[in-house]
Amino acid sequence: MLPGLALVALVSVPLTTHAGEWLKRRVPADPLVNRHAGLGGTLLPWAIALFAVTVAVWWSGRRAPFASETARSTGWGGGTAILRVPVRVVAIVLSLVVGVGSVVRVYRIGDSGAQAVWHDSFSAQPVNQG
């Protein structure tokens, strides 16, 4: 389930950036819009990393029960148990780094888009609506 969600996120990035490029060609040139478009182009590597980490963690979790049974039945499990904890720690740290990095990147892209849309679009004083 989780790798499928990560795949949807990965596929949505090029679709969204393509739509943004289409829109950029149809609005007046603006440095804030250019900044937003530039930041949008930086999300794909994060989405790829998120998908890769998700698939790796999912795959290792699905494989672990079978590896344990094989290790017990053949008596070859001694060396793999030593590696399990460091591999899990690396997976957790990598997942956190990629997850937090992706969220920060999406936040920065969204904030730059909001700035591009709302700059000079409002008044500091209430507008009379009467």
Side-chain angles (χ1 to χ4, degrees):
M1 174 73 178
L2 194 56
L5 185 59
L7 181 62
V8 169
L10 175 60
V11 170
S12 71
V13 171
L15 294 173
T16 305
T17 54
H18 178 65
E21 289 297 325
W22 178 89
L23 182 60
K24 181 183 171 192
R25 292 189 298 269
R26 284 158 179 81
V27 297
D30 185 291
L32 293 175
V33 171
N34 291 337
R35 179 174 181 266
H36 175 65
L39 285 172
T42 65
L43 186 58
L44 187 58
W46 287 98
I48 291 169
L50 188 63
F51 176 70
V53 167
T54 302
V55 168
V57 168
W58 173 81
W59 183 74
S60 68
R62 302 230 349 134
R63 234 182 106 225
F66 302 113
S68 299
E69 289 175 22
T70 304
R72 279 194 301 264
S73 65
T74 60
W76 290 88
T80 59
I82 294 171
L83 293 177
R84 275 190 215 137
V85 172
V87 168
R88 285 183 180 168
V89 169
V90 168
I92 290 168
V93 169
L94 195 56
S95 297
L96 286 171
V97 168
V98 171
V100 169
S102 298
V103 168
V104 168
R105 180 60 45 188
V106 168
Y107 172 82
R108 291 188 65 212
I109 294 166
D111 183 57
S112 70
Q115 289 177 18
V117 168
W118 288 101
H119 84 287
D120 296 335
S121 296
F122 65 93
S123 171
Q125 300 298 320
V127 178
N128 293 333
Q129 296 183 6

